[in-house]
């Protein structure tokens, strides 16, 4: 547990910035969803659902980029050309 506290303390500014961005994201998403649906419950549901789905999509996006960066580069064979 002290390891987690140390990491949190070392990254306090970044964690606070991330948290504030998350809150802003939720608020903007809720306002947009309410403007589209006119339904408060639907807008709150969508505003919480969208960032969660986006986070999962980002995880797979990062995995794909990491795989691409680690893939061997295909070299053109001059004898074939």
């Amino acid at each position: 547990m002290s390891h987690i506290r140390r990491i949190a303390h070392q990254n306090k500014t970044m964690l606070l910035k991330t948290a504030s961005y998350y809150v802003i994201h939720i608020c903007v998403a809720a306002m947009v969803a309410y403007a589209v649906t006119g339904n408060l419950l639907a807008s709150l549901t969508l505003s919480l659902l969208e960032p969660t789905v986006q986070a999962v999509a980002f995880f797979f996006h990062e995995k794909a980029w990491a795989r691409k960066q680690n893939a061997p580069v295909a070299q053109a064979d001059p004898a074939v050309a």
Side-chain angles (χ1 to χ4, degrees), residues 2-38:
S2 64
H3 181 68
I4 294 172
R5 286 188 190 133
R6 184 171 43 81
I7 291 171
H9 181 69
Q10 290 172 342
N11 296 291
K12 183 178 181 179
T13 301
M14 184 173 46
L15 290 170
L16 289 172
K17 187 175 178 181
T18 301
S20 69
Y21 179 78
Y22 182 75
V23 169
I24 290 170
H25 187 111
I26 296 296
C27 291
V28 170
M31 288 187 289
V32 170
Y34 184 74
V36 171
T37 66

Side-chain angles (χ1 to χ4, degrees), residues 20-79:
S20 69
Y21 179 78
Y22 182 75
V23 169
I24 290 170
H25 187 111
I26 296 296
C27 291
V28 170
M31 288 187 289
V32 170
Y34 184 74
V36 171
T37 66
N39 183 314
L40 184 61
L41 182 59
S43 66
L44 292 175
T45 301
L46 289 170
S47 68
L48 294 172
L49 179 64
E50 184 273 337
T52 304
V53 171
Q54 190 174 45
V56 172
F58 183 76
F59 172 80
F60 289 108
H61 174 264
E62 287 293 301
K63 295 287 275 182
W65 271 98
R67 186 178 304 126
K68 183 179 190 282
Q69 289 176 338
N70 292 332
V73 177
Q75 298 290 328
D77 186 356

